[in-house]
Amino acid sequence: MPLKGRTAIVTGAGGGLGRQHALYLARKGARVVVNDLGQEAAEAVAAEICAAGGEAIAVAASVTDEAAVAAMVQRALQAWGRIDILISNAGILRDKSFAKMDLADFRLVVDVHLMGAAICCKAVWEQMRAQNSGRIVLTTSSSGLWGNFGQANYGAAKMALVGLMQTLAIEGAKYGIKVNCLAPTAYTRMMEGILPQEQLDALDPSLVSPALLPLVVEQAPTRTILCAGAGHFAQANVTLTEGCYIGGGDDAGERLMAAWDVVSDSSGQIVPGYGFTQAEREVASARRHARASA
């Protein structure tokens, strides 16, 4: 039981993928705070864990409610004294093409996915810093990484979570906090009607949850985007091509167009260690050009 003695909070755990996450972590030894918007759903999953010999408490709270999330964290600390793992899983869909989408639905989806995750991270952050240890898994999506028709709101929120992960991982490194993203593909109520039933049947949510284990153990990576579905696992990266120096001037845009194949050539691409890698490479390229022209 690699997670014995660890305390995990799983949001949106009253059903679907979140329920499977909670059950899986409990089977691996974790004590689980089962969070959901509905008390009855959260209690059912907590009872399921306890009936199997695990430890769990149910907390009904919206992840967008800062006071309720803070109270959930305090309840976990009162029960078990520490918080080792946060699985930010809660989410909603309001799918429509962008032309037909109401901006209220755009804001709602961003609020739940992005702000909800940020609120939960903020609520556990100081405790994890004090412990000098913590594991956070944010739930991104292929819709954010590569786009999906009818999901401008969802995709924007999910890609924003990658940005949140990148910075929290950097800031949390000296405190032993590791932050990663999981991009799941699972058959839940949110996916009904999106894919053919035959494909949905292969996407059992329980096949995703094992992806959590390498992201939350002692030797976990940080800043990883792990894709999981149907028992298949892969890693996604945000990369930067080598590019080339174009310079300035009135015809810089035209010269950039002429060099487009070089700029977009992926053969020399890297995964930057931090955001300023881009600026460093750009300045270094400009300096090399200046020396060569001197």
Side-chain angles (χ1 to χ4, degrees):
M1 301 184 80
L3 302 181
K4 187 172 178 60
R6 306 287 184 90
T7 299
I9 296 174
V10 183
T11 68
L17 186 58
R19 171 178 169 271
Q20 292 296 336
H21 286 346
L23 295 174
Y24 179 81
L25 294 175
R27 288 198 303 272
K28 297 301 175 181
R31 303 169 297 204
V32 182
V33 177
V34 180
N35 162 260
D36 200 80
L37 197 57
Q39 182 70 39
E40 187 175 339
E43 287 181 350
V45 176
E48 196 173 350
I49 290 171
C50 293
E55 295 182 71
I57 56 175
V59 178
S62 168
V63 293
T64 62
D65 185 334
E66 293 179 51
V69 171
M72 174 174 66
V73 169
Q74 285 305 308
R75 185 170 174 194
L77 291 173
Q78 289 167 4
W80 296 312
R82 58 186 295 115
I83 297 170
D84 301 283
I85 299 165
L86 168 65
I87 309 298
S88 179
N89 168 77
I92 60 170
L93 287 177
R94 294 292 186 274
D95 289 358
K96 281 185 180 178
S97 68
F98 192 62
K100 297 178 180 178
M101 185 178 293
D102 190 312
L103 284 178
D105 278 343
F106 198 103
R107 290 189 182 96
L108 178 61
V109 169
V110 170
D111 195 34
V112 173
H113 287 274
L114 176 58
M115 290 307 302
I119 287 168
C120 291
C121 289
K122 185 68 172 176
V124 302
W125 195 253
E126 287 307 314
Q127 177 62 31
M128 288 184 173
R129 291 205 330 161
Q131 293 169 180
N132 220 33
S133 175
R135 301 290 181 268
I136 295 174
V137 179
L138 304 176
T139 306
T140 186
S141 170
S142 58
S143 298
L145 295 168
W146 302 292
N148 255 341
F149 186 90
Q151 293 192 313
N153 48 7
Y154 182 76
K158 288 304 193 183
M159 193 59 183
L161 288 169
V162 174
L164 179 62
M165 172 202 73
Q166 300 281 23
T167 295
L168 291 187
I170 292 170
E171 294 185 4
K174 67 179 180 179
Y175 300 102
I177 302 172
K178 296 182 177 181
V179 188
N180 295 287
C181 273
L182 174 63
T185 309
Y187 179 10
T188 67
R189 285 174 298 174
M190 292 203 308
M191 289 190 66
E192 289 178 355
I194 296 176
L195 293 174
Q197 189 62 43
E198 182 182 355
Q199 293 183 35
L200 292 175
D201 290 342
L203 297 171
D204 189 327
S206 67
L207 296 173
V208 171
S209 297
L212 295 177
L213 190 60
L215 302 181
V216 300
V217 292
E218 185 65 28
Q219 64 271 34
T222 195
R223 301 180 68 188
T224 292
I225 305 170
L226 184 60
C227 305
H232 181 85
F233 304 89
Q235 186 173 332
N237 289 291
V238 179
T239 64
L240 181 67
T241 66
E242 179 66 30
C244 66
Y245 180 80
I246 298 296
D250 288 343
D251 65 341
E254 288 80 1
R255 285 186 282 115
L256 172 58
M257 291 172 62
W260 193 254
D261 287 347
V262 177
V263 171
S264 59
D265 181 9
S266 63
S267 60
Q269 68 187 7
I270 64 166
V271 179
Y274 50 92
F276 282 118
T277 300
Q278 176 184 333
E280 291 169 352
R281 282 160 60 99
E282 291 162 348
V283 171
S285 176
R287 286 175 174 168
R288 286 195 301 270
H289 177 79
R291 287 195 297 267
S293 303

